[in-house]
RNA sequence: GGCCCCAUCGUCUAGUGGCCUAGGACGCCGGCCUCUCACGCCGGAAACACGGGUUCGAGUCCCGUUGGGGUCACCA
C-alpha cells in the first residue's frame, strides 16, 4: 500500500487569488482527490507587513466559489512562531545554522563588491565560523554546504542539479526572530506531513535550499513537481495590468466555476484530445504525467467558449443557483422552481455567461414587455391585425397548451392569411418579448406559459389597433 | 550577468523513433441548417525556432545556436 498523498496550497494573503494561484490550488486538490489523499490549506502570513485579513477572506471566497475544499486547515503561519523558534534553535545547536550580526548595509556592500568582481552577489559568510551567541537584532543564517550538488528530483521535469556553491548562507530567521519563507515552508511541510508539493516553477530555485533544510533536519524530502507558469495574453507574467486576473472577477462576470476549473486545468495539462471535463472526470483522469513543461498563455476567448459549453451541458436546476444573483441585480426577484428551469432551458444554447443569460431571461419576468421601437414599427403593423387576432383567439381557446397544438394554430393562421412562417413568428416574438431576438418561438411560448402568452398577445393586438387609427 | 527552466498552427494542446501527408480545441474565413438569435453540421487557411549529430528512419534522442521565461531580499 502506497503512502497517502498529502498535498497543500499555501497562498500568501497579500492580495486576491489570481488565475495562476488558483491553478496551483486546483492541481494540488485534484492530485489529492485523484489519489484519495488529503489536501491542506495553509496561509503564509509570516510577512505581517503585507498580509491582510481582507486577502485571507478573498482567498477563502475564491476557493469556495471554485469548489476547492480542503481536508485540513486553514493553518496560519503567524500562529506557529513557537514551532519555528524550536526548529531554528535546533538548527543552531546542531551546527547547521548560526547567528549573523552583519547589517543589511554590510551585506549590500558584500554583494556589490562581488558584483564588481564579476561574481555572484551573495553573502560572504563573515559570521559563519564566528560561533556568535544570540544578540539583539542578529539574524540566523543557514550553513549551506560549501561543496557538492543538491539535486531536485522533479516529478514533472526530471532531475535538476544545483551546485551548492551557487547558494549562499541564506537567512532563515529575521532579526526579530520571525522565520523567513524557506524555513517556515519546510517546517510546516514537515510537521503537516506534506509529502507532495506541486507549485509554480518560479519556486525551482528555492527548492535546493529547502532540500538542504530537510536534510539538516533529518527529515524525508517530499516529492516535488514544478508546473509551468501562466502568462498573460501578451506573454508576460500575469499581473494586475492584465485586467481581471482575480478568480472572483470571473464569478462576477458570469462564469461557471466548473468552466473556470476546466479551463485552468487544461492550461498545462491534457488528456489526449479531450477539451471538456466535468469535475468528476477531472478527478478521475488527472495525473502529473501529462502536465506540460512550457508556460501557458491565458486565452480569454477559449475560457468564454468553454463557459458557454458548460452552461449548455449543465442541467437547468444546477444553473439556477448561479443565475439567481444576476437576476437579482436586474431587480428580478424569483425563486428557483419549474418556471425558472423552463426559462433557463430555452436560454442555455444562447448564453455564453450568466450575465447574458440574465439579460435574455428578463422578458420572462416582467409584467409587460417593453417594445423595442424599431421592432414594433416593423412587425406590429396594421396589416398584422387580422392574423394576430386570429392567433390570440385560437391560443385562448386551446385545450392543451403544447407545442403540437401551437404549431397547428400557426399553420392555420399562415394558411388563412397567406403569410409565411417568419411573417407570423416575428410579430408574435415582438409581442411576447418586445424584441426581435429570442429563443425559438414555440419553446419560448411554452416556457412563458399560456396566461402570459395570451395577455401579451392581447396587449399587442390593442397596440396595433391603437397605431392603426 | 551567474544559475535554472522552456521551445509543435495566433493561442491551448495531441504526439514518448516508423501509425505524421503532424491530429483536436479556441479564434478566423466560407458554406449548410433555420421562425429571429444562438446551438449544431460541413469545409478552409494556419505549426514541428535554427544548425549539427545518433539512427535504416527524428516533431520525437544528443549537442550547439537563437529566442522566451524564472531566480538571485531581514518578500512569499
Amino acid at each position: 500500500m502506497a503512502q497517502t498523498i498529502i498535498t497543500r496550497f499555501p497562498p500568501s494573503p497579500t492580495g486576491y487569488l489570481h488565475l495562476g494561484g488558483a491553478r496551483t490550488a486546483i492541481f494540488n486538490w485534484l492530485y489529492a482527490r485523484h489519489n484519495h489523499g488529503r489536501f491542506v490549506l495553509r496561509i503564509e502570513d509570516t510577512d505581517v507587513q503585507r498580509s491582510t485579513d481582507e486577502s485571507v477572506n478573498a482567498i477563502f471566497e475564491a476557493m469556495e466559489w471554485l469548489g476547492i475544499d480542503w481536508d485540513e486547515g486553514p493553518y496560519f503561519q503567524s500562529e506557529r512562531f513557537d514551532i519555528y523558534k524550536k526548529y531554528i534553535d535546533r538548527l543552531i545547536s546542531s551546527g547547521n545554522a548560526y547567528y549573523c550580526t552583519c547589517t543589511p548595509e554590510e551585506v549590500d556592500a558584500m554583494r556589490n563588491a562581488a558584483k564588481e568582481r564579476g561574481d555572484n552577489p551573495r553573502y560572504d559568510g563573515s559570521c559563519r565560523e564566528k560561533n556568535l551567541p544570540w544578540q539583539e537584532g542578529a539574524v540566523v543564517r543557514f550553513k549551506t554546504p560549501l561543496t557538492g550538488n543538491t539535486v531536485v528530483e522533479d516529478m514533472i521535469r526530471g532531475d535538476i542539479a544545483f551546485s551548492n556553491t551557487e547558494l549562499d548562507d541564506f537567512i532563515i530567521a529575521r532579526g526579530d526572530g520571525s522565520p523567513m519563507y524557506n524555513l517556515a515552508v519546510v517546517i510546516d511541510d514537515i510537521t503537516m506531513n506534506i509529502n507532495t508539493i506541486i507549485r509554480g516553477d518560479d519556486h525551482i530555485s528555492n527548492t535546493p535550499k529547502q532540500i538542504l533544510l530537510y536534510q539538516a533536519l533529518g527529515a524525508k524530502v517530499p516529492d516535488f513537481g514544478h508546473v509551468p507558469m501562466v502568462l498573460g495574453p501578451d506573454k508576460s507574467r500575469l499581473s494586475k495590468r492584465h485586467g481581471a486576473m482575480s478568480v472572483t472577477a470571473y464569478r462576477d462576470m458570469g462564469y461557471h466555476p466548473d468552466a473556470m476549473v476546466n479551463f485552468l486545468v487544461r492550461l498545462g495539462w491534457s488528456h489526449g484530445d479531450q477539451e471538456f471535463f466535468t469535475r468528476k472526470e477531472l478527478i478521475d483522469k488527472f495525473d502529473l504525467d501529462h502536465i506540460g513543461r512550457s508556460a501557458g498563455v491565458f486565452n480569454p476567448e477559449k475560457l468564454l467558449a468553454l463557459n458557454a459549453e458548460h452552461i449548455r451541458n449543465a442541467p437547468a436546476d444546477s444553473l439556477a443557483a448561479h443565475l439567481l444573483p444576476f437576476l437579482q441585480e436586474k431587480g428580478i426577484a424569483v425563486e428557483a422552481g419549474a418556471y425558472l428551469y423552463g426559462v433557463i432551458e430555452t436560454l442555455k444554447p444562447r448564453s455564453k455567461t450568466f450575465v447574458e443569460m440574465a439579460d435574455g431571461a428578463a422578458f420572462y419576468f416582467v409584467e409587460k414587455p417593453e417594445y423595442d421601437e424599431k421592432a414594433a414599427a416593423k412587425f406590429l403593423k396594421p396589416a398584422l391585425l387580422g392574423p394576430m387576432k386570429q392567433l390570440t383567439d385560437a391560443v385562448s381557446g386551446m385545450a392543451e397548451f403544447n407545442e403540437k397544438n401551437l404549431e397547428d394554430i400557426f399553420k392555420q393562421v399562415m394558411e388563412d392569411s397567406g403569410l409565411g412562417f417568419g411573417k407570423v413568428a416575428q410579430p408574435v416574438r415582438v409581442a411576447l418579448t418586445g424584441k426581435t431576438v429570442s429563443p425559438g418561438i414555440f419553446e419560448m411560448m411554452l416556457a412563458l406559459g399560456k396566461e402570459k402568452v395570451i395577455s401579451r398577445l392581447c396587449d399587442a393586438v390593442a397596440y396595433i389597433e391603437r397605431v392603426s387609427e
Side-chain angles (χ1 to χ4, degrees):
Chain A
M1 179 68 189
Q3 63 176 346
T4 301
I5 297 289
I6 305 178
T7 65
R8 42 65 154 185
F9 176 55
S12 67
T14 53
Y16 52 71
L17 183 63
H18 63 77
L19 264 22
R23 191 183 63 150
T24 303
I26 293 167
F27 280 162
N28 279 284
W29 176 78
L30 280 177
Y31 194 66
R33 291 288 171 266
H34 175 82
N35 292 292
H36 307 289
R38 301 173 64 72
F39 176 62
V40 178
L41 177 63
R42 178 173 75 226
I43 305 297
E44 309 221 322
D45 56 353
T46 54
D47 186 347
V48 187
Q49 306 298 321
R50 302 197 302 154
S51 302
T52 65
D53 287 347
E54 207 182 322
S55 297
V56 172
N57 289 329
I59 289 164
F60 290 163
E61 197 183 325
M63 290 186 71
E64 190 191 343
W65 178 66
L66 287 170
I68 306 301
D69 55 340
W70 52 91
D71 306 302
E72 238 179 88
Y75 292 109
F76 289 84
Q77 289 189 325
S78 56
E79 294 168 3
R80 297 167 55 82
F81 279 28
D82 290 350
I83 299 171
Y84 307 130
K85 179 79 176 73
K86 210 174 72 193
Y87 280 87
I88 291 165
D89 290 345
R90 212 165 106 187
L91 249 11
I92 293 170
S93 50
S94 65
N96 287 111
Y98 58 91
Y99 287 110
C100 166
T101 53
C102 297
T103 64
E105 292 72 29
E106 287 168 329
V107 177
D108 264 352
M110 288 172 204
R111 281 199 254 265
N112 288 142
K115 229 171 179 172
E116 303 261 311
R117 288 195 308 273
D119 290 344
N120 271 348
R122 47 186 291 167
Y123 175 67
D124 69 2
S126 297
C127 299
R128 184 177 170 109
E129 304 302 341
K130 286 186 186 161
N131 217 260
L132 260 22
W134 175 86
Q135 62 176 275
E136 188 70 43
V139 301
V140 179
R141 286 182 184 275
F142 180 71
K143 200 179 272 186
T144 302
L146 269 9
T147 57
N149 289 141
T150 297
V151 358
V152 179
E153 295 171 24
D154 196 283
M155 295 184 288
I156 294 168
R157 288 158 205 274
D159 291 0
I160 306 169
F162 292 85
S163 167
N164 290 158
T165 57
E166 285 295 324
L167 279 24
D168 67 356
D169 287 354
F170 56 93
I171 295 176
I172 57 177
R174 299 185 180 90
D176 64 4
S178 63
M180 288 286 286
Y181 168 72
N182 282 119
L183 181 89
V185 190
V186 170
I187 303 306
D188 284 340
D189 288 337
I190 290 172
T191 56
M192 293 172 195
N193 298 309
I194 306 297
N195 53 33
T196 309
I197 296 175
I198 299 168
R199 71 209 325 190
D201 65 12
D202 52 333
H203 281 286
I204 288 182
S205 52
N206 276 323
T207 312
K209 294 180 187 174
Q210 294 174 194
I211 289 177
L212 255 12
L213 245 14
Y214 276 98
Q215 291 169 341
L217 255 7
K220 185 177 180 305
V221 178
D223 291 330
F224 289 99
H226 289 94
V227 306
M229 313 215 64
V230 179
L231 272 26
D234 61 354
K235 297 191 184 179
S236 76
R237 195 177 186 156
L238 225 46
S239 70
K240 295 175 185 60
R241 70 196 156 76
H242 290 299
M245 286 298 130
S246 95
V247 169
T248 44
Y250 287 89
R251 173 196 60 192
D252 300 340
M253 289 188 284
Y255 284 79
H256 190 124
D258 288 4
M260 192 78 233
V261 170
N262 187 162
F263 172 79
L264 254 14
V265 173
R266 257 306 335 245
L267 212 175
W269 174 82
S270 61
H271 183 76
D273 283 338
Q274 189 173 348
E275 298 284 351
F276 183 93
F277 295 86
T278 60
R279 222 163 253 272
K280 186 179 179 305
E281 283 178 305
L282 249 17
I283 292 171
D284 285 348
K285 295 170 175 171
F286 185 75
D287 60 59
L288 261 23
D289 300 338
H290 295 86
I291 287 191
R293 277 168 296 275
S294 52
V297 175
F298 170 67
N299 181 185
E301 280 89 32
K302 187 149 184 171
L303 203 211
L304 185 64
L306 204 49
N307 197 52
E309 197 174 347
H310 273 273
I311 287 177
R312 242 180 281 135
N313 286 291
D317 58 345
S318 81
L319 294 174
H322 295 290
L323 177 64
L324 253 19
F326 293 96
L327 252 18
Q328 257 163 33
E329 212 168 281
K330 301 175 81 73
I332 298 167
V334 246
E335 278 175 20
Y339 185 74
L340 179 62
Y341 301 157
V343 166
I344 291 175
E345 210 53 62
T346 69
L347 264 10
K348 268 164 57 172
R350 51 204 111 222
S351 306
K352 290 193 194 305
T353 66
F354 290 115
V355 169
E356 283 186 21
M357 187 178 273
D359 286 343
F363 79 84
Y364 282 112
F365 300 97
V366 294
E367 194 54 39
K368 286 183 181 186
E370 195 176 311
Y371 297 149
D372 172 80
E373 215 172 290
K374 280 186 193 161
K378 184 168 179 187
F379 296 109
L380 299 183
K381 292 185 296 195
L384 269 309
L385 188 57
M388 287 294 274
K389 262 186 167 162
Q390 182 188 355
L391 196 118
T392 305
D393 290 344
V395 172
S396 304
M398 275 173 85
E400 200 186 331
F401 191 67
N402 60 28
E403 179 157 354
K404 166 80 174 54
N405 291 343
L406 283 173
E407 270 182 48
D408 288 344
I409 288 172
F410 269 69
K411 273 183 198 152
Q412 192 59 54
V413 173
M414 284 160 66
E415 201 177 301
D416 295 347
S417 64
L419 294 170
F421 192 98
K423 295 289 183 201
V424 179
Q426 276 308 82
V428 172
R429 172 168 281 117
V430 175
L432 300 181
T433 72
K435 299 172 296 186
T436 54
V437 173
S438 87
I441 200 82
F442 298 128
E443 55 171 334
M444 180 262 287
M445 291 172 84
L446 257 18
L448 199 53
K450 189 176 180 181
E451 266 181 53
K452 286 199 181 74
V453 168
I454 293 170
S455 95
R456 292 182 190 196
L457 247 19
C458 289
D459 288 344
V461 168
Y463 175 87
I464 296 173
E465 281 171 340
R466 231 178 310 133
V467 298
S468 299
E469 286 162 11

